[in-house]
Amino acid sequence: MGKLTKNQKLASAKIEAGRAYTLAEAASLVKEITFTKFDASVDIDVRLGVDPRKANQMVRGVVSLPHGTGKQVRVLVLCNPDAEAAAKEAGADYVGLDEYIDKIKGGWTDVDVIITQPAIMGKLGPLGRILGPRGLMPNPKSGTVTPDVAKAVREVKQGKIDFKVDKGGIVHSSVGKVSFSPVQLMENARAFVQMLVKLKPAAAKGTYIKSIYLSSTMSKGIKVDVKSVEA
């Protein structure tokens, strides 16, 4: 095992083993233990008491973070010509249809979100094998298949994110950047967890939110007291 760097030792010294911090404490601490030269993302990991293998316990949804994610989200809108102007005005980075479908067929996926209209979905079927594994396939449940593409673009640009529980029962998401204030991180994290609570499946029994951890891109995870988030 390699030796810990000076910064890693400083970070480890700040985290009490076995302690669960309040959300406010964790939001401040994650900034203190991050020493990257870039503006690292701050992530939240929530372990849920669900069995994702069962369809009636799947947790998937969208949430608009009060302070956004701090990331520059590249949005492609695949739409009919009559919606192109509104999509561009809303802030879409790429707008079009057939030319972008051809580019995707050629392997181009240099975007973060793809938004389209219901009438266009039939054309996107053949792209599933390319977009699906990358999490880019538009989906009505995440709001990326909609008649109002301009509204969807604005929501994504303002911090709307979609999430899905993984096979291990954990939901991962970014809730900001290290440059955010502790209050901004705290409010974003709370909004995310509150949405998870709203989406609790009726079939889920026992403790629903089992654990919450906050971390930055290259920091250790900080255990968060669940009650301090739900309060």
Side-chain angles (χ1 to χ4, degrees):
M1 183 177 176
K3 291 183 178 180
L4 292 177
T5 65
K6 180 181 177 182
N7 286 338
Q8 287 173 328
K9 288 179 181 177
L10 288 172
S12 295
K14 288 178 179 287
I15 300 176
E16 255 183 70
R19 176 180 171 184
Y21 292 82
T22 66
L23 180 57
E25 290 171 332
S28 294
L29 187 55
V30 74
K31 292 168 64 69
E32 294 177 24
I33 65 171
T34 301
F35 300 96
T36 55
K37 294 181 180 179
F38 58 90
D39 192 10
S41 293
V42 175
D43 303 318
I44 190 168
D45 298 287
V46 184
R47 182 178 291 278
L48 301 177
V50 298
D51 184 351
R53 295 171 299 178
K54 297 179 180 178
N56 63 355
Q57 293 189 43
M58 173 56 66
V59 177
R60 179 175 188 167
V62 295
V63 62
S64 292
L65 299 179
H67 305 287
T69 62
K71 294 179 179 178
Q72 290 296 108
V73 183
R74 298 162 298 172
V75 179
L76 163 63
V77 175
L78 299 173
C79 62
N80 289 314
D82 59 350
E84 288 185 0
K88 289 176 182 176
E89 188 177 341
D93 300 274
Y94 308 99
V95 180
L97 187 55
D98 292 332
E99 68 271 35
Y100 285 105
I101 289 177
D102 289 338
K103 284 185 71 173
I104 293 170
K105 285 179 179 177
W108 180 80
T109 56
D110 196 20
V111 293
D112 300 300
V113 177
I114 298 177
I115 295 169
T116 193
Q117 299 166 307
I120 305 297
M121 279 303 290
K123 290 189 172 187
L124 303 192
L127 304 181
R129 60 183 177 79
I130 299 172
L131 301 180
R134 294 169 175 78
L136 290 173
M137 194 68 179
N139 188 308
K141 291 183 179 179
S142 64
T144 49
V145 179
T146 172
D148 193 345
V149 292
K151 179 184 177 183
V153 171
R154 285 192 291 270
E155 289 177 341
V156 168
K157 289 288 187 177
Q158 290 168 4
K160 182 179 178 180
I161 57 173
D162 64 286
F163 55 86
K164 180 181 178 182
V165 66
D166 67 15
K167 291 185 289 186
I170 302 173
V171 184
H172 313 267
S173 179
S174 172
V175 289
K177 295 281 190 176
V178 171
S179 58
F180 281 25
S181 71
V183 171
Q184 289 175 316
L185 293 173
M186 184 171 65
E187 291 178 349
N188 275 359
R190 180 163 282 136
F192 180 75
V193 174
Q194 286 175 344
M195 181 56 70
L196 288 177
V197 172
K198 287 181 182 179
L199 295 172
K200 179 182 178 180
K205 304 301 180 184
T207 303
Y208 178 54
I209 296 184
K210 292 191 169 184
S211 66
I212 300 174
Y213 282 82
L214 210 61
S215 64
S216 68
T217 304
M218 297 176 70
S219 81
K220 294 183 66 173
I222 302 167
K223 188 174 183 180
V224 180
D225 178 8
V226 174
K227 291 181 180 178
S228 74
V229 183
E230 295 178 331

Short mmCIF file of all heavy atoms in Angstrom, two decimals, residues 157-195:
data_model
loop_
_atom_site.label_atom_id
_atom_site.label_comp_id
_atom_site.label_asym_id
_atom_site.label_seq_id
_atom_site.Cartn_x
_atom_site.Cartn_y
_atom_site.Cartn_z
N LYS A 157 -30.46 23.35 -17.87
CA LYS A 157 -29.40 24.36 -17.72
C LYS A 157 -29.41 24.97 -16.32
O LYS A 157 -28.37 25.41 -15.83
CB LYS A 157 -29.58 25.46 -18.77
CG LYS A 157 -29.25 25.04 -20.20
CD LYS A 157 -27.75 24.86 -20.39
CE LYS A 157 -27.39 24.61 -21.84
NZ LYS A 157 -25.92 24.50 -22.06
N GLN A 158 -30.58 25.00 -15.69
CA GLN A 158 -30.70 25.60 -14.36
C GLN A 158 -30.42 24.61 -13.22
O GLN A 158 -30.45 24.98 -12.06
CB GLN A 158 -32.11 26.19 -14.18
CG GLN A 158 -32.34 27.44 -15.03
CD GLN A 158 -33.79 27.86 -15.10
OE1 GLN A 158 -34.65 27.27 -14.44
NE2 GLN A 158 -34.08 28.87 -15.89
N GLY A 159 -30.14 23.34 -13.56
CA GLY A 159 -29.76 22.40 -12.51
C GLY A 159 -30.68 21.21 -12.32
O GLY A 159 -30.60 20.53 -11.30
N LYS A 160 -31.53 20.93 -13.28
CA LYS A 160 -32.38 19.75 -13.18
C LYS A 160 -31.57 18.50 -13.54
O LYS A 160 -30.88 18.48 -14.55
CB LYS A 160 -33.57 19.87 -14.14
CG LYS A 160 -34.55 18.70 -14.08
CD LYS A 160 -35.70 18.92 -15.04
CE LYS A 160 -36.66 17.75 -15.04
NZ LYS A 160 -37.79 17.95 -15.98
N ILE A 161 -31.60 17.50 -12.69
CA ILE A 161 -30.85 16.26 -12.92
C ILE A 161 -31.77 15.06 -12.80
O ILE A 161 -32.80 15.13 -12.13
CB ILE A 161 -29.68 16.11 -11.93
CG1 ILE A 161 -30.20 16.15 -10.48
CG2 ILE A 161 -28.62 17.18 -12.15
CD1 ILE A 161 -29.16 15.83 -9.45
N ASP A 162 -31.41 13.98 -13.47
CA ASP A 162 -32.17 12.75 -13.29
C ASP A 162 -31.26 11.72 -12.62
O ASP A 162 -30.03 11.79 -12.73
CB ASP A 162 -32.72 12.22 -14.62
CG ASP A 162 -31.63 11.82 -15.59
OD1 ASP A 162 -30.96 12.70 -16.16
OD2 ASP A 162 -31.44 10.61 -15.79
N PHE A 163 -31.86 10.80 -11.92
CA PHE A 163 -31.10 9.81 -11.14
C PHE A 163 -31.83 8.49 -11.15
O PHE A 163 -33.03 8.42 -11.41
CB PHE A 163 -30.88 10.30 -9.70
CG PHE A 163 -32.17 10.66 -9.00
CD1 PHE A 163 -32.93 9.70 -8.35
CD2 PHE A 163 -32.63 11.98 -9.00
CE1 PHE A 163 -34.13 10.03 -7.72
CE2 PHE A 163 -33.82 12.31 -8.37
CZ PHE A 163 -34.57 11.34 -7.73
N LYS A 164 -31.09 7.44 -10.83
CA LYS A 164 -31.66 6.09 -10.82
C LYS A 164 -30.85 5.24 -9.84
O LYS A 164 -29.62 5.30 -9.82
CB LYS A 164 -31.59 5.51 -12.23
CG LYS A 164 -32.15 4.11 -12.39
CD LYS A 164 -32.00 3.65 -13.84
CE LYS A 164 -32.50 2.24 -14.05
NZ LYS A 164 -32.31 1.80 -15.46
N VAL A 165 -31.54 4.45 -9.05
CA VAL A 165 -30.86 3.57 -8.10
C VAL A 165 -30.09 2.50 -8.87
O VAL A 165 -30.55 2.00 -9.89
CB VAL A 165 -31.88 2.93 -7.12
CG1 VAL A 165 -32.83 2.00 -7.84
CG2 VAL A 165 -31.17 2.20 -5.99
N ASP A 166 -28.87 2.18 -8.40
CA ASP A 166 -28.08 1.16 -9.10
C ASP A 166 -28.38 -0.23 -8.55
O ASP A 166 -29.23 -0.41 -7.65
CB ASP A 166 -26.58 1.48 -9.03
CG ASP A 166 -26.00 1.38 -7.62
OD1 ASP A 166 -26.66 0.79 -6.73
OD2 ASP A 166 -24.87 1.86 -7.41
N LYS A 167 -27.70 -1.23 -9.08
CA LYS A 167 -27.97 -2.62 -8.68
C LYS A 167 -27.70 -2.88 -7.21
O LYS A 167 -28.24 -3.82 -6.62
CB LYS A 167 -27.13 -3.57 -9.54
CG LYS A 167 -27.56 -3.62 -11.00
CD LYS A 167 -26.78 -4.64 -11.79
CE LYS A 167 -25.34 -4.22 -12.02
NZ LYS A 167 -24.60 -5.15 -12.92
N GLY A 168 -26.85 -2.05 -6.60
CA GLY A 168 -26.53 -2.23 -5.19
C GLY A 168 -27.47 -1.48 -4.25
O GLY A 168 -27.27 -1.48 -3.03
N GLY A 169 -28.48 -0.81 -4.83
CA GLY A 169 -29.42 -0.07 -3.99
C GLY A 169 -28.93 1.31 -3.62
O GLY A 169 -29.43 1.92 -2.67
N ILE A 170 -27.94 1.82 -4.36
CA ILE A 170 -27.36 3.14 -4.07
C ILE A 170 -27.70 4.13 -5.17
O ILE A 170 -27.67 3.80 -6.35
CB ILE A 170 -25.83 3.04 -3.91
CG1 ILE A 170 -25.47 2.06 -2.79
CG2 ILE A 170 -25.22 4.41 -3.62
CD1 ILE A 170 -23.99 1.77 -2.68
N VAL A 171 -28.02 5.35 -4.77
CA VAL A 171 -28.26 6.43 -5.72
C VAL A 171 -27.10 7.43 -5.59
O VAL A 171 -26.79 7.88 -4.49
CB VAL A 171 -29.59 7.16 -5.44
CG1 VAL A 171 -29.84 8.21 -6.51
CG2 VAL A 171 -30.74 6.17 -5.40
N HIS A 172 -26.46 7.71 -6.72
CA HIS A 172 -25.33 8.65 -6.75
C HIS A 172 -25.75 9.91 -7.49
O HIS A 172 -26.46 9.82 -8.49
CB HIS A 172 -24.13 8.05 -7.49
CG HIS A 172 -23.79 6.65 -7.10
ND1 HIS A 172 -22.86 6.35 -6.13
CD2 HIS A 172 -24.25 5.45 -7.55
CE1 HIS A 172 -22.77 5.03 -6.00
NE2 HIS A 172 -23.61 4.47 -6.86
N SER A 173 -25.27 11.05 -7.04
CA SER A 173 -25.54 12.28 -7.78
C SER A 173 -24.55 13.37 -7.37
O SER A 173 -24.00 13.34 -6.26
CB SER A 173 -26.96 12.79 -7.50
OG SER A 173 -27.20 14.00 -8.20
N SER A 174 -24.35 14.30 -8.27
CA SER A 174 -23.56 15.49 -7.94
C SER A 174 -24.51 16.52 -7.34
O SER A 174 -25.64 16.69 -7.82
CB SER A 174 -22.90 16.05 -9.20
OG SER A 174 -22.30 17.30 -8.94
N VAL A 175 -24.07 17.20 -6.29
CA VAL A 175 -24.91 18.24 -5.68
C VAL A 175 -24.20 19.59 -5.65
O VAL A 175 -24.55 20.47 -4.87
CB VAL A 175 -25.36 17.85 -4.25
CG1 VAL A 175 -26.37 16.72 -4.30
CG2 VAL A 175 -24.18 17.48 -3.37
N GLY A 176 -23.19 19.74 -6.51
CA GLY A 176 -22.52 21.04 -6.58
C GLY A 176 -21.03 20.91 -6.77
O GLY A 176 -20.52 19.86 -7.17
N LYS A 177 -20.34 22.01 -6.49
CA LYS A 177 -18.89 22.09 -6.62
C LYS A 177 -18.29 22.53 -5.29
O LYS A 177 -18.97 23.13 -4.44
CB LYS A 177 -18.52 23.11 -7.70
CG LYS A 177 -18.95 22.72 -9.12
CD LYS A 177 -18.00 21.70 -9.71
CE LYS A 177 -18.25 21.47 -11.18
NZ LYS A 177 -17.27 20.56 -11.78
N VAL A 178 -17.01 22.27 -5.12
CA VAL A 178 -16.33 22.67 -3.89
C VAL A 178 -16.37 24.18 -3.71
O VAL A 178 -16.34 24.69 -2.59
CB VAL A 178 -14.87 22.15 -3.89
CG1 VAL A 178 -14.08 22.75 -2.74
CG2 VAL A 178 -14.87 20.63 -3.77
N SER A 179 -16.47 24.92 -4.81
CA SER A 179 -16.53 26.37 -4.73
C SER A 179 -17.87 26.87 -4.19
O SER A 179 -17.99 28.04 -3.83
CB SER A 179 -16.28 26.98 -6.12
OG SER A 179 -17.24 26.51 -7.06
N PHE A 180 -18.88 26.01 -4.12
CA PHE A 180 -20.17 26.39 -3.55
C PHE A 180 -19.99 26.66 -2.06
O PHE A 180 -19.09 26.12 -1.41
CB PHE A 180 -21.19 25.26 -3.72
CG PHE A 180 -21.81 25.16 -5.09
CD1 PHE A 180 -21.16 25.62 -6.22
CD2 PHE A 180 -23.04 24.56 -5.26
CE1 PHE A 180 -21.72 25.51 -7.48
CE2 PHE A 180 -23.62 24.43 -6.51
CZ PHE A 180 -22.96 24.91 -7.63
N SER A 181 -20.87 27.47 -1.51
CA SER A 181 -20.85 27.70 -0.07
C SER A 181 -21.43 26.48 0.65
O SER A 181 -22.18 25.71 0.04
CB SER A 181 -21.69 28.94 0.29
OG SER A 181 -23.07 28.65 0.12
N PRO A 182 -21.11 26.29 1.93
CA PRO A 182 -21.69 25.16 2.66
C PRO A 182 -23.22 25.18 2.63
O PRO A 182 -23.86 24.13 2.55
CB PRO A 182 -21.16 25.36 4.08
CG PRO A 182 -19.85 26.06 3.90
CD PRO A 182 -20.09 27.00 2.74
N VAL A 183 -23.80 26.37 2.68
CA VAL A 183 -25.27 26.47 2.66
C VAL A 183 -25.82 26.00 1.31
O VAL A 183 -26.83 25.28 1.27
CB VAL A 183 -25.72 27.93 2.93
CG1 VAL A 183 -27.22 28.08 2.69
CG2 VAL A 183 -25.39 28.32 4.38
N GLN A 184 -25.16 26.37 0.22
CA GLN A 184 -25.61 25.92 -1.11
C GLN A 184 -25.53 24.40 -1.23
O GLN A 184 -26.45 23.75 -1.74
CB GLN A 184 -24.78 26.58 -2.20
CG GLN A 184 -25.05 28.07 -2.38
CD GLN A 184 -24.12 28.70 -3.39
OE1 GLN A 184 -22.91 28.45 -3.38
NE2 GLN A 184 -24.67 29.51 -4.28
N LEU A 185 -24.43 23.83 -0.76
CA LEU A 185 -24.28 22.37 -0.81
C LEU A 185 -25.34 21.69 0.05
O LEU A 185 -25.93 20.68 -0.35
CB LEU A 185 -22.88 21.98 -0.34
CG LEU A 185 -21.71 22.39 -1.23
CD1 LEU A 185 -20.38 22.07 -0.55
CD2 LEU A 185 -21.79 21.68 -2.59
N MET A 186 -25.58 22.25 1.22
CA MET A 186 -26.55 21.68 2.14
C MET A 186 -27.96 21.72 1.54
O MET A 186 -28.70 20.74 1.59
CB MET A 186 -26.51 22.45 3.46
CG MET A 186 -27.41 21.90 4.54
SD MET A 186 -27.12 22.70 6.14
CE MET A 186 -27.62 24.38 5.77
N GLU A 187 -28.33 22.84 0.95
CA GLU A 187 -29.67 22.98 0.38
C GLU A 187 -29.85 22.08 -0.84
O GLU A 187 -30.93 21.51 -1.04
CB GLU A 187 -29.94 24.44 0.03
CG GLU A 187 -30.08 25.32 1.27
CD GLU A 187 -30.31 26.79 0.96
OE1 GLU A 187 -30.17 27.18 -0.23
OE2 GLU A 187 -30.63 27.55 1.89
N ASN A 188 -28.80 21.93 -1.65
CA ASN A 188 -28.89 21.02 -2.79
C ASN A 188 -29.03 19.58 -2.34
O ASN A 188 -29.85 18.82 -2.87
CB ASN A 188 -27.64 21.15 -3.67
CG ASN A 188 -27.75 22.28 -4.68
OD1 ASN A 188 -28.76 22.97 -4.76
ND2 ASN A 188 -26.70 22.49 -5.46
N ALA A 189 -28.22 19.18 -1.35
CA ALA A 189 -28.27 17.80 -0.84
C ALA A 189 -29.63 17.51 -0.22
O ALA A 189 -30.20 16.43 -0.42
CB ALA A 189 -27.16 17.58 0.19
N ARG A 190 -30.16 18.46 0.53
CA ARG A 190 -31.46 18.25 1.16
C ARG A 190 -32.57 18.11 0.12
O ARG A 190 -33.45 17.26 0.25
CB ARG A 190 -31.76 19.39 2.12
CG ARG A 190 -33.10 19.26 2.84
CD ARG A 190 -33.19 20.14 4.06
NE ARG A 190 -32.47 19.56 5.19
CZ ARG A 190 -31.68 20.25 5.99
NH1 ARG A 190 -31.46 21.53 5.78
NH2 ARG A 190 -31.08 19.66 7.00
N ALA A 191 -32.52 18.93 -0.93
CA ALA A 191 -33.52 18.84 -2.00
C ALA A 191 -33.47 17.47 -2.66
O ALA A 191 -34.51 16.88 -2.98
CB ALA A 191 -33.30 19.95 -3.03
N PHE A 192 -32.25 16.95 -2.86
CA PHE A 192 -32.09 15.65 -3.49
C PHE A 192 -32.67 14.54 -2.62
O PHE A 192 -33.44 13.69 -3.09
CB PHE A 192 -30.60 15.39 -3.74
CG PHE A 192 -30.30 14.07 -4.38
CD1 PHE A 192 -30.57 13.87 -5.73
CD2 PHE A 192 -29.77 13.02 -3.66
CE1 PHE A 192 -30.30 12.64 -6.34
CE2 PHE A 192 -29.50 11.80 -4.25
CZ PHE A 192 -29.77 11.62 -5.59
N VAL A 193 -32.35 14.55 -1.33
CA VAL A 193 -32.84 13.51 -0.42
C VAL A 193 -34.35 13.60 -0.24
O VAL A 193 -35.05 12.58 -0.18
CB VAL A 193 -32.12 13.59 0.94
CG1 VAL A 193 -32.74 12.61 1.94
CG2 VAL A 193 -30.63 13.29 0.78
N GLN A 194 -34.88 14.81 -0.18
CA GLN A 194 -36.32 14.98 -0.05
C GLN A 194 -37.05 14.37 -1.25
O GLN A 194 -38.13 13.79 -1.09
CB GLN A 194 -36.67 16.46 0.12
CG GLN A 194 -36.32 17.00 1.50
CD GLN A 194 -36.56 18.50 1.63
OE1 GLN A 194 -36.71 19.20 0.62
NE2 GLN A 194 -36.58 18.99 2.85
N MET A 195 -36.46 14.51 -2.44
CA MET A 195 -37.08 13.91 -3.61
C MET A 195 -37.05 12.38 -3.51
O MET A 195 -38.01 11.70 -3.87
CB MET A 195 -36.37 14.38 -4.88
CG MET A 195 -36.95 13.80 -6.17
SD MET A 195 -38.74 14.13 -6.37
CE MET A 195 -38.70 15.91 -6.66
#
